[in-house]
């Protein structure tokens, strides 16, 4: 396989879950980070940007000590008031940080409630990195944060308008160390502090931060292009959109797509190509672990590696059906008798109609689609084993050899390298080897199953061998004996697109009919900015 990996990975250490256990989501995340900053999968509620800006401003205004412990005590208290105000008159509002603690306090029946940390990780910790990328806050040498004048301070002052004239706001101004709040004070704040209703003044500042009229750097210009694409898609489709719309336009850009958005759809095409690899390899590793469990139960002993792989690549109707669904098998053929060369040539033929090659990327009309392939692989149980070689062939078509060295803005062939199944470093050379050796499709399936296992073993070893390392191994591989060490759930890299799309709705720029009037104005302005730059 080119890189040696440990044969045995299992240690007495803390168990963890929800990780990138094959190491293949990291290149996808790197592409996502380069495409779209200022939003993450753990920042669903945009008004928290107002809250944390106000917390930073209020703390500085009170001239409190520049100590992290003091600041976080203050921040936790204000967040507590914010969450309890949102939960006081109804429990339907979700995606608030510290809901369980707030509900417990409200259910206590007391008229005066303590302002204290509701959860170990407060919202400030989740949102502050995004607020920095949006140029609302900046880190200081003391470890605290300061506000940018043009955005952060303006946003904090707008939020303060709904707090300062309240009974709690008046008490807080006199005593920044206020440690409690009454139900009457919470009731007064419940409407003004609603997480789902952002006042016009705050909305205008947040729109400028997210979709800037004067982007200050390359990251802001990329963010501007992304949100412009989302607004354009909502207008074009005349409805709420989702990430599938973004991936669809990336694979098949319409002629009317504004030219200033080309780089963005190219980026999402590179993203979905790498995502397809990650999903298919994880689906195959999930199949490995299910077979390990079956063999372990049958033998009442660890499964044998060769037996697991043989079972997974053995002839089965579901494998043939999966390959037939993507037109890799012809009538009367089976995966058992198929050559890899035939499969490779059929993938090539399916990616030929209307083919165009731009720097680093190829597109075609109809044919194979990464999103369709990973949807099928993720839901087809053990048949995913038959689809992984198709995914390899497909990604080699998406980043063709003739475009090598012309990577444009997103280096799809170079993403991942040798340790993360890079297209240039691993997939192209291995496909050439499979063709030269005239390998059967069954043999290639077996090799890619083993590569999926090796990916996991390599990641598990790396994470354990680090200082204070943890045992994240799912598979105990003691030479030929395999058994389960932990749970594993195949999945996909969260793209943050769903959060970005929802932010547009929270800003009242999108609706069920596409764009609101404010959304149309914002899109027009954004396109003008991009066309000038």
């Amino acid at each position: 396989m080119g890189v040696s990996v440990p044969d045995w990975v299992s240690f007495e250490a803390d168990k963890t879950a929800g990780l990138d256990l094959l190491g293949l989501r990291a290149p996808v995340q790197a592409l996502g980070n380069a495409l779209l900053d200022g939003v993450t999968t753990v920042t669903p509620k945009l008004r928290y940007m107002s809250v944390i800006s106000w917390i930073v401003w209020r703390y500085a205004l009170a001239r409190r000590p520049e100590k992290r412990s003091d600041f976080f005590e203050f921040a936790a208290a204000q967040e507590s008031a914010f969450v309890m105000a949102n939960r006081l008159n109804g429990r339907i509002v979700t995606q608030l940080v510290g809901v369980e603690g707030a509900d417990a306090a409200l259910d206590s029946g007391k008229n005066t409630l303590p302002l204290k940390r509701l959860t170990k990780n407060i919202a400030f910790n989740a949102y502050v990195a995004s607020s920095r990328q949006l140029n609302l806050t900046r880190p200081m040498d003391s470890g605290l944060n300061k506000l940018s004048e043009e955005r952060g301070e303006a946003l904090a002052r707008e939020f303060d308008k709904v707090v300062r004239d309240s009974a709690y706001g008046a008490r807080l101004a006199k005593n920044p160390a206020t440690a409690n709040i009454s139900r009457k004070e919470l009731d007064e704040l419940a409407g003004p502090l609603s997480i789902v209703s952002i006042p016009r003044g705050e909305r205008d500042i947040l729109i400028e931060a997210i979709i800037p009229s004067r982007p200050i750097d390359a990251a802001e210009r990329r963010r501007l292009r992304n949100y412009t694409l989302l607004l354009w898609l909502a207008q074009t489709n005349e409805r709420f959109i989702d990430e599938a719309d973004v991936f669809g336009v990336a694979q098949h850009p319409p002629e009317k797509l504004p030219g200033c958005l080309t780089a963005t759809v190219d980026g999402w095409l590179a993203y979905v190509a790498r995502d397809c690899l990650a999903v298919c390899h994880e689906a195959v590793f999930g199949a490995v672990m299910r077979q390990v469990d079956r063999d372990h139960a049958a033998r009442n002993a660890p499964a044998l590696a060769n037996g697991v792989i043989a079972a997974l690549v053995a002839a089965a109707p579901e494998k043939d059906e999966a390959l037939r669904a993507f037109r890799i098998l012809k009538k009367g053929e089976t995966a058992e008798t198929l050559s890899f060369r035939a499969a490779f040539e059929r993938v090539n033929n399916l990616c030929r109609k209307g083919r165009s090659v731009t720097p680093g990327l190829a597109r075609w009309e109809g044919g194979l689609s990464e999103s369709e392939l990973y949807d099928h692989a993720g839901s087809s149980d053990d048949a995913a084993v038959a689809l992984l070689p198709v995914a390899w062939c497909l990604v080699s078509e998406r980043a063709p050899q003739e475009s090598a060295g012309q990577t444009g803005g997103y280096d799809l062939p170079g993403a991942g390298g040798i340790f993360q199944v890079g297209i240039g470093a691993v997939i192209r050379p291995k496909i050439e080897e499979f063709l030269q050796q005239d390998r059967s499709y069954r043999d290639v399936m077996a090799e890619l199953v083993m590569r999926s296992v090796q990916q996991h073993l390599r990641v598990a070893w790396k994470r354990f061998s680090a200082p204070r390392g943890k045992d994240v191994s799912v598979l105990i591989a003691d030479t030929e004996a395999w058994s389960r060490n932990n749970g594993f759930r195949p999945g996909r890299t969260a793209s943050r697109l769903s959060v970005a799309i929802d932010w547009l709705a929270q800003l009242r720029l999108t609706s069920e009919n596409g764009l609101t009037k404010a959304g149309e104005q914002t899109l027009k302005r954004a396109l003008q900015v991009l066309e000038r730059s």
Side-chain angles (χ1 to χ4, degrees):
M1 295 297 175
V3 179
S4 60
V5 296
D7 289 324
W8 185 79
V9 184
S10 179
F11 305 91
E12 291 304 318
D14 294 336
K15 302 293 190 294
T16 60
L19 301 173
D20 181 10
L21 295 178
L22 270 68
L24 298 181
R25 298 189 190 187
V28 187
Q29 291 167 339
L31 286 165
N33 292 341
L35 275 163
L36 182 57
D37 74 347
V39 60
T40 73
T41 57
V42 295
T43 57
K45 292 300 183 184
L46 185 54
R47 203 176 186 195
Y48 265 119
M49 296 299 178
S50 302
V51 175
I52 68 172
S53 296
W54 176 78
I55 288 172
V56 170
W57 182 71
R58 267 289 188 176
Y59 190 81
L61 201 65
R63 300 184 181 278
R64 301 293 301 278
E66 289 190 4
K67 292 175 58 179
R68 286 175 57 83
S69 58
D70 287 15
F71 172 78
F72 280 104
E73 182 180 357
F74 177 81
Q78 306 321 309
E79 285 189 24
S80 176
F82 178 71
V83 177
M84 287 194 290
N86 272 274
R87 299 287 287 183
L88 179 67
N89 296 321
R91 304 291 169 90
I92 60 172
V93 179
T94 59
Q95 296 180 316
L96 291 158
V97 180
V99 165
E100 290 183 4
D103 289 352
L106 292 169
D107 292 342
S108 68
K110 297 177 181 178
N111 287 324
T112 301
L113 303 173
L115 294 176
K116 61 182 182 180
R117 184 183 290 264
L118 297 175
T119 185
K120 182 178 180 181
N121 292 312
I122 63 175
F124 190 94
N125 292 327
Y127 283 80
V128 69
S130 291
S131 78
R132 291 171 183 168
Q133 292 173 341
L134 294 173
N135 291 298
L136 297 170
T137 63
R138 294 172 185 146
M140 297 193 300
D141 292 340
S142 63
L144 301 186
N145 294 270
K146 63 180 178 180
L147 299 176
S148 64
E149 292 182 11
E150 63 278 11
R151 293 180 189 170
E153 186 171 335
L155 184 59
R157 290 181 181 275
E158 279 296 323
F159 187 83
D160 192 57
K161 289 178 181 179
V162 304
V163 179
R164 67 188 182 195
D165 295 330
S166 68
Y168 174 71
R171 282 203 304 118
L172 184 66
K174 291 179 181 177
N175 178 18
T178 295
N180 55 65
I181 191 168
S182 69
R183 287 180 182 270
K184 185 176 180 181
E185 289 171 330
L186 285 173
D187 188 57
E188 183 185 10
L189 291 171
L193 294 189
S194 171
I195 192 76
V196 298
S197 181
I198 305 175
R200 175 65 181 271
E202 290 177 46
R203 284 206 313 272
D204 289 345
I205 297 167
L206 288 167
I207 290 170
E208 178 60 30
I210 293 165
I211 312 171
S213 58
R214 293 183 299 277
I216 63 176
D217 56 25
E220 289 220 327
R221 286 190 288 275
R222 288 193 295 270
R223 186 190 325 129
L224 173 62
R225 287 199 302 264
N226 270 282
Y227 281 101
T228 304
L229 174 64
L230 298 180
L231 290 171
W232 183 84
L233 283 170
Q235 182 185 65
T236 301
N237 289 287
E238 298 183 339
R239 57 171 171 78
F240 283 123
I241 61 168
D242 57 30
E243 71 170 19
D245 293 299
V246 179
F247 297 155
V249 79
Q251 293 169 83
H252 306 289
E255 290 185 6
K256 59 185 177 180
L257 179 76
C260 58
L261 302 180
T262 299
T264 300
V265 296
D266 283 353
W268 286 115
L269 181 57
Y271 179 98
V272 78
R274 280 296 321 189
D275 198 24
C276 183
L277 279 178
V279 170
C280 290
H281 272 283
E282 287 200 12
V284 166
F285 187 65
V288 168
M289 295 313 301
R290 288 191 294 274
Q291 188 63 43
V292 165
D293 291 341
R294 287 192 289 265
D295 286 4
H296 192 286
R299 288 165 44 84
N300 196 26
L304 297 178
N306 288 338
V308 170
I309 295 173
L312 289 174
V313 303
E318 57 267 26
K319 294 186 182 69
D320 297 341
E321 290 169 9
L323 290 172
R324 202 164 283 118
F326 289 95
R327 291 175 284 172
I328 307 301
L329 281 183
K330 294 182 178 180
K331 187 175 181 180
E333 292 181 332
T334 66
E336 183 77 8
T337 59
L338 184 69
S339 71
F340 177 77
R341 182 178 297 278
F344 176 79
E345 290 175 350
R346 288 168 190 175
V347 170
N348 179 263
N349 288 334
L350 288 166
C351 301
R352 187 172 290 178
K353 183 180 178 182
R355 184 182 178 88
S356 63
V357 179
T358 54
L361 294 165
R363 289 185 172 88
W364 47 83
E365 296 175 14
L368 289 176
S369 157
E370 286 90 349
S371 50
E372 290 177 4
L373 187 62
Y374 67 57
D375 280 345
H376 200 111
S379 60
S380 61
D381 294 328
D382 296 354
V385 171
L387 295 178
L388 183 53
V390 178
W392 273 44
C393 295
L394 177 57
V395 79
S396 73
E397 293 291 337
R398 190 63 80 184
Q401 184 66 49
E402 64 262 34
S403 69
Q406 303 176 8
T407 57
Y410 301 95
D411 184 10
L412 177 57
I418 192 170
F419 294 109
Q420 294 167 318
V421 195
I423 298 168
V426 176
I427 290 179
R428 283 179 185 154
K430 290 300 296 184
I431 285 178
E432 185 62 29
E433 177 187 309
F434 297 154
L435 293 172
Q436 288 178 352
Q437 296 176 355
D438 199 20
R439 302 275 292 276
S440 71
Y441 198 79
R442 185 180 184 279
D443 284 349
V444 172
M445 284 193 292
E447 181 162 333
L448 299 192
V449 168
M450 180 57 78
R451 180 172 285 275
S452 300
V453 171
Q454 289 179 318
Q455 278 296 131
H456 171 65
L457 295 178
R458 185 180 293 115
V459 168
W461 171 252
K462 182 177 180 180
R463 293 187 183 173
F464 183 80
S465 62
R468 301 181 66 184
K470 292 183 177 180
D471 180 7
V472 299
S473 62
V474 175
L475 179 71
I476 300 174
D478 187 357
T479 59
E480 283 296 303
W482 286 0
S483 57
R484 181 182 290 275
N485 187 50
N486 215 332
F488 177 73
R489 180 180 296 177
R492 280 192 53 224
T493 307
S495 71
R496 77 188 65 187
L497 276 171
S498 59
V499 177
I501 290 166
D502 192 52
W503 277 13
L504 294 176
Q506 293 175 46
L507 290 168
R508 300 182 188 175
L509 299 178
T510 59
S511 72
E512 64 271 14
N513 297 316
L515 295 185
T516 63
K517 190 167 291 185
E520 291 174 352
Q521 294 169 350
T522 302
L523 174 59
K524 182 179 179 180
R525 184 257 292 169
L527 286 170
Q528 289 172 346
V529 172
L530 289 171
E531 287 163 0
R532 289 197 303 266
S533 61

